[in-house]
């Protein structure tokens, strides 16, 4: 894992994020080979309590009529698909709360070494910006995969798409429980695909995990995100649920 509390240039940090931030890919075995891999959205990798988790926005899957079994995370530099052995969603479908639009997938331990060797990197979920310190953040950087330019080369069996970095400052929240950022500088015309993107805070040239994008406004140039402190809370809840037997083990899915 890359130590995050050190000075690092934006370009170097963006390069490092290729191992941490990944396009959401939806794969259904029943589909035609040339339409079997598609998708819109972003996911990223967190480390917490010695475990590795992939996190994305639950609405990314819902909007594509996808189940958790349909999600694929593929590494760019190796023909490896991440294998999950636990899943959790902390959202009440009957009373949806935008600050809990989270789908969390635990990566099977037996795959960790191979994934790290293939280029996977993680963010420390515990090294995050607390809600009370958000106003002290100089700049927020959002790393994700907008839909523009995304594709899948079925001949080469490779993903096409560019990781984008957008930057901005905190503004008044669009909804209770969320934080909102006004994007400054270059940005895609539409934010489609940025849901599930990771938010990184720059505080005096120290970089910390700040949250996950869940909502966007194209006309206003605003991205809203679930704060990292809330995500760490749910990760801790997931770990505790398994320890107390409330979260039962599953058979690993998404074989390589």
């Amino acid at each position: 894992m890359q130590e995050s509390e050190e000075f690092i240039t934006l370009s170097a940090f963006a390069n490092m994020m290729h191992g941490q931030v990944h396009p959401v890919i939806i794969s259904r075995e029943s589909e035609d080979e040339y339409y079997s891999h598609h998708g819109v959205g972003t996911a990223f990798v967190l480390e917490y309590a010695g475990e590795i988790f992939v996190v994305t926005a639950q609405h990314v899957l819902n909007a594509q009529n996808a189940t958790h079994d349909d999600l694929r995370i593929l590494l760019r530099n190796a023909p490896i698909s991440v294998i999950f052995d636990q899943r959790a969603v902390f959202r009440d479908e009957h009373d949806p709360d935008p600050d809990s639009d989270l789908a969390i997938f635990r990566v099977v331990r037996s795959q960790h070494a191979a994934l790290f060797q293939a280029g996977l990197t993680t963010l420390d979920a515990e090294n995050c910006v607390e809600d009370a310190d958000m106003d002290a953040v100089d700049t927020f950087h959002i790393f994700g995969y907008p839909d523009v330019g995304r594709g899948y080369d079925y001949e080469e069996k490779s993903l096409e798409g560019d990781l984008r970095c957008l930057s901005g400052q905190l503004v008044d929240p669009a909804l209770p429980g969320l934080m909102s950022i006004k994007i400054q500088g270059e940005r895609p015309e539409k934010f489609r695909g940025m849901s599930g993107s990771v938010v990184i805070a720059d505080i005096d040239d120290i970089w910390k995990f700040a949250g996950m994008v869940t909502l966007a406004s194209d006309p206003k140039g605003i991205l809203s995100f679930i704060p990292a402190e809330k995500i760490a809370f749910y990760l801790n809840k997931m770990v505790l649920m398994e320890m107390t037997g409330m979260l039962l083990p599953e058979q690993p899915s998404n074989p390589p």
Side-chain angles (χ1 to χ4, degrees):
M1 180 180 65
Q2 174 78 31
E3 180 62 44
S4 56
E5 288 201 9
E6 62 182 46
F7 173 77
I8 185 171
T9 65
L10 179 58
S11 60
F13 196 89
N15 186 60
M16 180 182 69
M17 296 301 282
H18 279 97
Q20 297 174 355
V21 184
H22 305 271
V24 165
I25 298 174
I26 304 301
S27 177
R28 298 183 176 94
E29 294 181 1
S30 61
E31 293 186 1
D32 181 270
E33 177 184 358
Y34 281 86
Y35 296 95
S36 61
H37 289 71
H38 59 274
V40 176
T42 303
F44 60 94
V45 187
L46 290 175
E47 183 174 337
Y48 184 85
E51 301 284 359
I52 298 174
F53 299 91
V54 170
V55 179
T56 190
Q58 176 61 33
H59 81 262
V60 166
L61 300 179
N62 293 346
Q64 299 174 88
N65 295 316
T67 69
H68 289 172
D69 288 332
D70 297 329
L71 176 69
R72 298 290 182 273
I73 300 298
L74 305 178
L75 300 192
R76 283 179 169 269
N77 300 321
I80 297 178
S81 179
V82 180
I83 302 173
F84 306 118
D85 65 356
Q86 293 283 8
R87 304 166 181 77
V89 177
F90 296 100
R91 185 174 186 178
D92 185 345
E93 294 183 359
H94 302 290
D95 185 21
D97 189 349
D99 75 345
S100 57
D101 181 26
L102 290 169
I104 301 173
F105 302 78
R106 189 178 72 176
V107 179
V108 64
R109 277 182 173 268
S110 61
Q111 202 187 24
H112 288 191
L115 291 172
F116 286 135
Q117 186 175 10
L120 186 84
T121 56
T122 65
L123 284 168
D124 183 356
E126 295 182 87
N127 180 30
C128 66
V129 183
E130 297 182 359
D131 291 359
D133 295 329
M134 287 290 184
D135 288 335
V137 176
D138 301 317
T139 305
F140 290 91
H141 304 292
I142 299 93
F143 295 88
Y145 286 88
D147 190 38
V148 176
R150 273 200 56 174
Y152 189 84
D153 188 325
Y154 289 94
E155 298 296 336
E156 298 294 329
K157 298 186 182 303
S158 64
L159 180 71
E160 299 171 346
D162 295 322
L163 178 65
R164 291 289 302 271
C165 174
L166 311 179
S167 301
Q169 268 78 44
L170 205 66
V171 294
D172 291 338
L175 288 171
L178 299 180
M179 301 285 183
S180 297
I181 302 168
K182 174 72 172 180
I183 301 302
Q184 300 175 340
E186 187 178 351
R187 49 157 284 199
E189 182 178 353
K190 294 186 178 297
F191 289 132
R192 187 171 188 264
M194 296 297 289
S195 290
S197 296
V198 66
V199 182
I200 301 294
D202 177 357
I203 307 175
D204 296 328
D205 295 326
I206 293 176
W207 304 74
K208 288 188 174 184
F209 172 47
M212 183 202 76
V213 172
T214 182
L215 294 174
S217 171
D218 291 323
K220 296 181 179 180
I222 290 177
L223 291 173
S224 295
F225 66 96
I226 300 171
E229 195 173 27
K230 174 62 73 74
I231 297 173
F233 168 81
Y234 283 123
L235 288 172
N236 184 62
K237 186 174 182 178
M238 188 172 177
V239 170
L240 291 176
M241 286 173 66
E242 184 181 28
M243 289 175 61
T244 58
M246 295 176 64
L247 195 63
L248 299 178
E250 298 181 356
Q251 292 297 316
S253 66
N254 298 354

